[in-house]
Amino acid sequence: MRRVRRNHQKLWMTLFACLGVLGALGAAQTCGLFNARDTYLAQTLAYADEIADPSRQAADEVEVIHDTETRIDSGERIDLSSIYWENDMAYAELSDGRRARLTLDRALQTTIENSLTEHTVPHGGAVAIDPKTGKILAIASASNAAPVLSHYATRAAAPSASVFKLVTAAALLEKGSVDPQARICYSGGQSMLTESDVRGNPQTDTTCASLEQAIGHSINAVMARYAYQHLSKEDLEHIALRFAFNREIPTEFLTDVSEAEFVDDDIERAKTAAGFWHVNLSPMHGALIAAAIENDGIMMTPILIDEITDAQGTVLYTAKPRPWLVSMHADRAKVLARLGENTTREGTARKMFASRKGWRQGVRVGGKTGTLSNKQPFYTYNWFVGWGSDAKSQIAVGALIVNSEKWWIKGSHVAARAMKTHFSK
């Protein structure tokens, strides 16, 4: 058996610190906030209850212990470029003649690949995940600018931009600091943030918005002001860890760590909380963040290998969904998921999601866009990280498009097409 965390002592400290979240999770279940039909969430509660220590208060992580059969050999990782298809099933060859059948969905994989290759974008990547199981449904990359970067979907080479507003909002909701519908007045902050924008100025703060509107319309000044007023450096570091920043993501292929730095300066830290630099992100990690929000705050261990067989076709391993991180309390995650729907309903991604022609009825879609430009070389990083669900299924998508002076498409284009394929009639 092997533990997800490398630091044994630190792991057990976090494992035995589950009471705070467990209490909230249990209350949520009692009040009907958890769906009683959700087997995996029920199993997560039961497992977390077994390792809870009443002497602790906070909860960071649910330990996931894998039997030796559940991982490919130590040091071996799937090369994403070696994946091949037989009919509608994806496979990868492992050592000693073993073969891995993968979790990829061919229709969804094709849709995302086409979205990335129909335009000659400098770089781009997108990942789709089943939030309930952690199964990776699609992973695709494009790189057409020098230097060519392989497997861009797994690289944390881009700033997270306003996608980080989701994590900041999660911290505010976890602390109970903000009424999501209460309005705060602001000024400025459209493309940059000044100290006055962050601190506030009664003489100029005449436009007002709620947290919901700040997420949906990506209002920098509101998010920075809330962070400045309510969130400490430790608060942001803590929620970032719970959403898998500064952690090695337990994938069966190589994936970058998304680094987040929170400086001591209150103003600069508030800018970071609003999405201005100091945080990077991979599309893979973006999909996990969206999946955790849709999955009542629980981030599942990502799964690419569905089954492993030997040369004779004997099944050696079948994947089982396992929780990884408790990112949020269940009730707060539900609130954040609802707030994120403002983005696709009337906010910055409304044009991509307004028309649902060909979609099943009753699909809910939420998420967050993000745009940030770099001067040397000039690139605009354009994100959509979001989730969708109806009575039949759920999906989470992390999509990034890097544009030069010539714009091609946005991350929301890629995500909308992926969700349409997933939720097609």
Side-chain angles (χ1 to χ4, degrees), residues 22-36 45 330-331 334:
L22 292 172
L25 291 174
Q29 188 180 40
T30 301
C31 296
L33 293 172
F34 263 114
N35 187 337
L45 284 170
D331 54 345
K334 288 179 181 294

Side-chain angles (χ1 to χ4, degrees), residues 181-401:
Q181 302 305 326
R183 294 165 67 82
I184 184 172
C185 297
Y186 68 97
S187 59
Q190 290 188 349
S191 58
M192 61 177 292
L193 284 168
T194 66
E195 183 172 344
S196 177
D197 296 334
V198 175
R199 293 185 186 276
N201 185 340
Q203 302 302 317
T204 59
D205 291 347
T206 57
T207 305
C208 305
S210 65
L211 179 62
E212 179 179 21
Q213 292 169 320
I215 293 172
H217 295 269
S218 204
I219 305 174
N220 297 319
V222 171
M223 297 303 299
R225 183 86 55 81
Y226 273 140
Y228 176 74
Q229 293 177 345
H230 300 290
L231 299 177
S232 67
K233 178 180 179 182
E234 291 72 22
D235 290 332
L236 288 169
E237 290 174 338
H238 187 66
I239 197 68
L241 279 171
R242 287 167 66 173
F243 274 95
F245 286 92
N246 300 323
R247 296 181 184 269
E248 184 178 334
I249 299 173
T251 51
E252 296 140 326
F253 47 90
L254 293 177
T255 305
D256 287 354
V257 172
S258 297
E259 297 179 347
E261 179 188 11
F262 305 101
V263 299
D264 292 327
D265 181 85
D266 292 343
I267 300 299
E268 187 65 22
R269 193 172 63 248
K271 294 179 183 179
T272 299
F276 284 85
W277 309 106
H278 300 296
V279 181
N280 57 20
L281 183 67
S282 68
M284 176 71 217
H285 187 186
L288 285 173
I289 291 172
I293 294 170
E294 172 60 27
N295 195 35
D296 290 333
I298 295 176
M299 188 178 292
M300 303 297 287
T301 301
I303 297 172
L304 181 61
I305 298 176
D306 205 20
E307 182 180 273
I308 297 176
T309 56
D310 63 17
Q312 289 72 43
T314 303
V315 176
L316 304 175
Y317 158 70
T318 302
K320 296 180 181 178
R322 287 175 169 83
W324 178 33
L325 299 174
V326 180
S327 298
M328 294 184 70
H329 296 178
D331 54 345
R332 312 280 167 67
K334 288 179 181 294
V335 171
L336 183 53
R338 290 197 299 270
L339 298 182
E341 292 180 32
N342 188 284
T343 301
T344 60
R345 186 175 61 249
E346 61 182 56
T348 53
R350 65 188 181 281
K351 291 182 179 179
M352 293 301 104
F353 291 92
S355 175
R356 303 284 180 87
K357 185 177 180 180
W359 293 44
R360 298 197 297 257
Q361 294 294 317
V363 176
R364 296 171 37 255
V365 178
K368 186 73 193 75
T369 60
T371 303
L372 199 60
S373 295
N374 184 58
K375 293 183 179 180
Q376 293 294 333
F378 182 85
Y379 280 140
T380 297
Y381 302 94
N382 191 274
W383 285 96
F384 182 84
V385 167
W387 52 89
S389 66
D390 66 359
K392 294 182 179 180
S393 64
Q394 302 81 30
I395 191 173
V397 178
L400 167 66
I401 296 295

Side-chain angles (χ1 to χ4, degrees), residues 16-258:
F16 294 143
C18 287
L19 182 62
V21 164
L22 292 172
L25 291 174
Q29 188 180 40
T30 301
C31 296
L33 293 172
F34 263 114
N35 187 337
R37 296 182 293 106
D38 195 326
T39 303
Y40 298 123
L41 289 181
Q43 289 176 347
T44 299
L45 284 170
Y47 177 74
D49 188 55
E50 291 176 3
I51 64 171
D53 184 337
S55 66
R56 306 289 181 171
Q57 293 182 348
D60 271 334
E61 187 167 25
V62 175
E63 185 192 23
V64 181
I65 299 177
H66 296 279
D67 293 334
T68 54
E69 294 83 8
T70 66
R71 283 285 174 183
I72 54 183
D73 290 341
S74 177
E76 183 178 9
R77 292 290 182 269
I78 289 179
D79 179 356
L80 296 176
S81 61
S82 69
I83 293 173
Y84 62 95
W85 294 84
E86 291 182 1
N87 297 320
D88 289 333
M89 302 303 301
Y91 295 91
E93 299 297 331
L94 305 179
S95 61
D96 302 325
R98 293 174 300 147
R99 186 165 84 150
R101 190 187 72 204
L102 308 182
T103 57
L104 302 179
D105 178 287
R106 186 155 201 176
L108 193 57
Q109 180 73 22
T110 299
T111 294
I112 292 179
E113 288 180 352
N114 289 343
S115 296
L116 294 175
T117 58
E118 286 171 0
H119 306 278
T120 312
V121 299
H123 305 288
V127 178
I129 292 177
D130 182 336
K132 300 297 182 184
T133 65
K135 290 186 176 184
I136 298 171
L137 305 176
I139 179 167
S141 302
S143 186
N144 299 292
V148 173
L149 302 173
S150 61
H151 311 310
Y152 201 80
T154 68
R155 292 177 177 266
S160 65
S162 288
V163 169
F164 197 77
K165 286 183 172 73
L166 289 173
V167 181
T168 300
L172 293 167
L173 293 172
E174 289 286 87
K175 289 191 70 175
S177 304
V178 175
D179 178 351
Q181 302 305 326
R183 294 165 67 82
I184 184 172
C185 297
Y186 68 97
S187 59
Q190 290 188 349
S191 58
M192 61 177 292
L193 284 168
T194 66
E195 183 172 344
S196 177
D197 296 334
V198 175
R199 293 185 186 276
N201 185 340
Q203 302 302 317
T204 59
D205 291 347
T206 57
T207 305
C208 305
S210 65
L211 179 62
E212 179 179 21
Q213 292 169 320
I215 293 172
H217 295 269
S218 204
I219 305 174
N220 297 319
V222 171
M223 297 303 299
R225 183 86 55 81
Y226 273 140
Y228 176 74
Q229 293 177 345
H230 300 290
L231 299 177
S232 67
K233 178 180 179 182
E234 291 72 22
D235 290 332
L236 288 169
E237 290 174 338
H238 187 66
I239 197 68
L241 279 171
R242 287 167 66 173
F243 274 95
F245 286 92
N246 300 323
R247 296 181 184 269
E248 184 178 334
I249 299 173
T251 51
E252 296 140 326
F253 47 90
L254 293 177
T255 305
D256 287 354
V257 172
S258 297

